[in-house]
Amino acid sequence: MGFKRELGLYDCVILSLGGMVGSAIFVFPGSTGRLVGPGAVAAWCLAGVLMLPIALCYTELSLAFPETGAPTVFPYETLGPSPSVRAFASYLEGVGYTVGWVFGLTISALAIADYLGQILPAASGHATLTALVALGLAATVNILGINITSRANLVLAAVLLAVLTVFVAAGAAHFQPRNYDPLITGGPLDFFAAVQIAITAYGAWTVIPATIEEIQDPDRTVPRAIVLSLSIATLLYVSIVAVVYGVVDLSQFVDGSLAMTAPLGVAVDTIGISWLRYLTAVAAITAIFTTLLVGIMSSSRVLFALGDNNTLPAVFAKTSDRFRVPWVGVIAVTGVAGALATVPRYFSQLLVIAAVVGTGIPYAINILAFVGLRYYRTDVTPSFRAPGGYVLPSVAFVVLGIAMFGLGVTELVWSVGALALLSGYFLVRVTLHSHVIERPSPRNELR
């Protein structure tokens, strides 16, 4: 049974924003402020601009192969004449993408208790229980169908954007220009490290290509929704961090301080409006929950595509008759994220794997897929052609290099270990089920 086309332009923009405006904007301004001071405003702005080349590659690919779970379809359709290479790249992209979301969901869900404790002190100290409840609720909303999920996200996003607008307005009224002196405190390497941190807050727009079979008039909606959501997110992020650095004194951005873990909370305390503190906590919880909704939705569609092309068991391609939702993927993603939430002490390792395996590798594979589309798939003419020719993927790879900047030996070891496990499963599956690589591309045979 096919998917329903229920998402319009506004729905797509809000879904993308709901995924992007999550826990990152409530935490990362502290880290970027420590690195380069108020100059981090430029780092957040540049991060949004730099995400555009990658997004343009995905947009053209999405309209060339408009299938549910599209990010994992791209390499299967474009990466040369070898079925085994295409199948492995599709698997690695899709599973890596899902791993990134699963770890992101775990980290976000565990953060809810900190903000909930500001409203209900009894919730403090119950991070795992709160995370499990939040994940279960987000999965339930997803199971009820994309229309319900979109409407829930719409309401929550409206609350979130309203509170953040109030925060920006209140902060602007208490802005201290002296906090911008000096403007930049670090060197070029520190600045690009700040860009690396900020760029991780811009990735959830991939929910749009992942749900493309559920989007009305995708030829028009997808390019506009991706560009609009990235533009709005960039403007919102820049406004928030500009206010934070204008309100909070630079000396507070040091390791171990509250300004590092809850910079918006410190800004609200400095402003001195007690009710705004509660509103900010509500906004943080809302932002995290919308991220859970969008992450489960997006990753479940990618698992559907992997089940559809046989690189994962076909059970992942099942959809519910009533709601037309890939329910197996929803349950799998939520279940793994819930299991990880019971071992919160591995936070740092989860962050590393999410950054490399869940972000860097999927992006790299699909930038190559864009090249493959232009070089191998001359039989496909998408309605949208990204500008720049082969310069565009070159720029996208530079952006990806910036995003992966500064990884150390420990991070690489954890990431290589995760990749080895994922690759090992694929080899076992291919050995037991040779049809995984025998068939051509699922809907458009490579010529």
Side-chain angles (χ1 to χ4, degrees):
M1 184 177 292
F3 292 90
K4 294 181 180 179
R5 292 195 181 275
E6 300 192 69
L7 302 177
L9 175 62
Y10 189 64
D11 299 307
C12 290
V13 171
I14 296 300
L15 276 174
S16 180
L17 284 173
M20 280 190 278
V21 185
S23 56
I25 191 57
F26 291 87
V27 177
F28 290 169
S31 300
T32 55
R34 179 184 63 82
L35 286 166
V36 288
V41 174
W44 282 84
C45 182
L46 181 59
V49 173
L50 289 177
M51 184 57 77
L52 188 59
I54 297 175
L56 289 174
C57 291
Y58 272 65
T59 301
E60 182 173 328
L61 285 162
S62 298
L63 297 177
F65 311 105
E67 303 173 24
T68 294
T72 199
V73 174
F74 305 154
Y76 210 122
E77 295 283 359
T78 62
L79 290 184
S82 170
S84 58
V85 170
R86 296 203 312 269
F88 179 67
S90 174
Y91 164 82
L92 196 58
E93 198 288 338
V95 174
Y97 180 90
T98 303
V99 165
W101 264 121
V102 166
F103 289 166
L105 293 171
T106 303
I107 293 163
S108 296
L110 286 169
I112 290 179
D114 292 335
Y115 295 102
L116 187 59
Q118 298 178 23
I119 304 171
L120 300 171
S124 298
H126 299 285
T128 297
L129 178 61
T130 305
L132 293 176
V133 171
L135 286 166
L137 183 57
T140 301
V141 174
N142 266 278
I143 289 289
L144 293 176
I146 197 166
N147 188 47
I148 297 296
T149 307
S150 176
R151 295 296 170 262
N153 183 72
L154 178 63
V155 172
L156 293 171
V159 172
L160 171 62
L161 294 176
V163 174
L164 290 177
T165 300
V166 171
F167 170 81
V168 170
H174 292 77
F175 191 92
Q176 298 293 329
R178 66 174 180 272
N179 288 343
Y180 274 65
D181 184 17
L183 180 61
I184 299 178
T185 59
L189 293 180
D190 295 314
F191 179 80
F192 281 108
V195 173
Q196 175 202 16
I197 292 171
I199 206 169
T200 60
Y202 286 95
W205 54 268
T206 53
V207 69
I208 297 173
T211 57
I212 193 167
E213 282 193 66
E214 297 161 273
I215 295 174
Q216 300 167 3
D217 191 11
D219 290 344
R220 283 175 50 82
T221 301
V222 169
R224 294 159 67 198
I226 289 177
V227 173
L228 272 174
S229 60
L230 274 173
S231 300
I232 295 170
T234 302
L235 179 62
L236 182 63
Y237 288 161
V238 168
S239 300
I240 292 170
V241 296
V243 163
V244 168
Y245 301 141
V247 171
V248 181
D249 189 87
L250 181 60
S251 62
Q252 296 193 52
F253 294 107
V254 293
D255 287 332
S257 69
L258 189 60
M260 290 294 295
T261 56
L264 272 68
V266 173
V268 169
D269 289 341
T270 304
I271 292 170
I273 303 176
S274 58
W275 54 265
L276 186 56
R277 180 176 181 81
Y278 293 102
L279 277 184
T280 304
V282 169
I285 295 168
T286 303
I288 293 171
F289 192 73
T290 58
T291 299
L292 300 184
L293 286 177
V294 173
I296 292 171
M297 176 195 296
S298 185
S299 52
S300 66
R301 269 66 179 176
V302 166
L303 290 178
F304 170 90
L306 292 176
D308 190 48
N309 69 18
N310 285 327
T311 51
L312 282 184
V315 67
F316 284 100
K318 288 185 176 293
T319 58
S320 59
D321 293 336
R322 181 176 179 183
F323 300 113
R324 301 187 185 181
V325 170
W327 60 272
V328 176
V330 171
I331 292 173
V333 168
T334 307
V336 176
L340 291 173
T342 64
V343 285
R345 62 183 178 275
Y346 294 108
F347 242 57
S348 59
Q349 290 90 340
L350 294 183
L351 279 171
V352 169
I353 296 174
V356 179
V357 178
T359 302
I361 289 174
Y363 279 155
I365 289 173
N366 278 334
I367 295 170
L368 287 174
F370 177 84
V371 176
L373 170 63
R374 293 288 183 94
Y375 186 80
Y376 288 107
R377 297 305 304 268
T378 55
D379 59 305
V380 177
T381 306
S383 58
F384 174 86
R385 293 277 289 184
Y390 290 112
V391 173
L392 182 66
S394 300
V395 173
F397 271 120
V398 171
V399 173
L400 192 58
I402 293 172
M404 296 294 105
F405 175 82
L407 290 175
V409 174
T410 301
E411 289 87 345
L412 290 175
V413 168
W414 274 89
S415 300
V416 169
L419 282 173
L421 287 174
L422 296 178
S423 301
Y425 170 82
F426 181 81
L427 291 175
V428 170
R429 179 160 175 77
V430 168
T431 301
L432 297 178
H433 305 279
S434 59
H435 65 280
V436 170
I437 60 172
E438 286 178 351
R439 68 189 216 136
S441 299
R443 303 187 193 182
N444 298 279
E445 184 170 356
L446 192 65
R447 307 199 240 294

